[in-house]
Amino acid sequence: AQTVTQSQPEMSVQEAETVTLSCTYDTSESDYYLFWYKQPPSRQMILVIRQEAYKQQNATENRFSVNFQKAAKSFSLKISDSQLGDAAMYFCAYRFDYKLSFGAGTTVTVRA
Amino acid sequence: GAVVSQHPSWVICKSGTSVKIECRSLDFQATTMFWYRQFPKQSLMLMATSNEGSKATYEQGVEKDKFLINHASLTLSTLTVTSAHPEDSSFYICSASTIYSGLGTETQYFGPGTRLLVL
């Protein structure tokens, strides 16, 4: 079974600063997808960013970017210029064979 | 695009009754739908996967007779919690993916979730 580990239960960041969330995963596959989802207090899961494992280039979506290290099985998320609306729980997820495995989540707090 | 709705958003029921939760893809045809359960401040646990017109595939440890899943059309899946008990109280989330359109088959789009409280 594939496992996803998020080692940071909570992270705090000052508004306009940068925060990086870590994620590692365990797999023997070579072709898969990785995702970061955001879950604000409303509990609606929102897709933040996705990465295809066969692509070397790190995905970027506006202020969100990832550092994908395939050999190290690491997939960290960087939030730049943090905004109050970024406060949420962030889940790293691994997809193989259509199923998603989620990490335990990291709660991000943004200080004004 | 890629909007998924759930109804109801909040339900309270008495122990022993059954509750049905609907999950709809509003602007795309969902070839596959997923049902998750989430406890407070915890991660999502996949309960089952359903493809339109076929029986759901349940994850290990999930009682298929308690959690009935139907995926009768490309836009609707339902989860029925039968003979609900207080331990079934949780947050239930559905998601959907599609082989059609340009959304990408690898991505799941989530509904807003349903809070179930069994008294």
Side-chain angles (χ1 to χ4, degrees):
Chain A
Q2 288 78 19
T3 57
V4 180
T5 302
Q6 292 180 249
S7 58
Q8 306 153 314
E10 296 179 355
M11 292 289 281
S12 181
V13 61
Q14 187 72 36
E15 198 175 4
E17 297 295 310
T18 296
V19 63
T20 300
L21 311 183
S22 66
C23 172
T24 59
Y25 56 95
D26 181 33
T27 185
S28 58
E29 305 298 330
S30 59
D31 191 16
Y32 49 87
Y33 289 87
L34 295 162
F35 301 84
W36 279 97
Y37 281 92
K38 167 185 177 181
Q39 189 179 43
S42 68
R43 300 187 80 173
Q44 167 75 61
M45 293 286 284
I46 301 167
L47 175 66
V48 175
I49 201 164
R50 72 179 150 218
Q51 174 80 42
E52 299 164 86
Y54 65 86
K55 286 189 176 180
Q56 301 264 353
Q57 188 173 6
N58 289 323
T60 300
E61 287 288 340
N62 300 314
R63 297 182 295 107
F64 298 89
S65 61
V66 297
N67 183 2
F68 173 48
Q69 301 291 326
K70 190 173 184 179
K73 297 177 185 175
S74 171
F75 183 59
S76 62
L77 173 71
K78 184 169 79 172
I79 307 173
S80 303
D81 185 25
S82 297
Q83 300 175 1
L84 296 177
D86 294 333
M89 196 157 187
Y90 287 79
F91 291 99
C92 176
Y94 167 98
R95 180 192 181 273
F96 176 72
D97 194 23
Y98 71 83
K99 289 185 182 181
L100 283 179
S101 294
F102 287 91
T106 298
T107 299
V108 172
T109 304
V110 181
R111 306 186 304 274
Chain B
V3 179
V4 177
S5 70
Q6 272 184 251
H7 179 80
S9 58
W10 204 177
V11 58
I12 301 173
C13 69
K14 292 182 178 179
S15 185
T17 62
S18 293
V19 174
K20 180 183 285 188
I21 302 170
E22 293 187 348
C23 176
R24 293 180 184 273
S25 57
L26 300 184
D27 52 2
F28 66 101
Q29 293 180 315
T31 46
T32 306
M33 285 184 164
F34 306 83
W35 287 94
Y36 295 86
R37 186 171 179 176
Q38 185 182 33
F39 291 105
K41 298 190 183 300
Q42 292 188 23
S43 191
L44 282 71
M45 299 293 294
L46 179 65
M47 298 174 66
T49 303
S50 71
N51 292 298
E52 184 262 340
S54 60
K55 288 185 178 180
T57 302
Y58 291 80
E59 293 300 300
Q60 192 172 9
V62 177
E63 300 175 60
K64 57 181 68 177
D65 293 332
K66 166 165 274 298
F67 299 101
L68 300 179
I69 291 170
N70 182 275
H71 190 167
S73 76
L74 282 171
T75 59
L76 175 64
S77 176
T78 59
L79 167 67
T80 301
V81 183
T82 62
S83 186
H85 289 95
E87 58 266 29
D88 298 323
S89 299
S90 190
F91 190 64
Y92 293 88
I93 309 175
C94 74
S95 71
S97 65
T98 182
I99 63 172
Y100 305 117
S101 83
L103 293 176
T105 60
E106 74 284 356
T107 301
Q108 291 184 25
Y109 297 92
F110 287 81
T114 297
R115 287 174 175 80
L116 170 64
L117 177 61
V118 184
L119 302 176

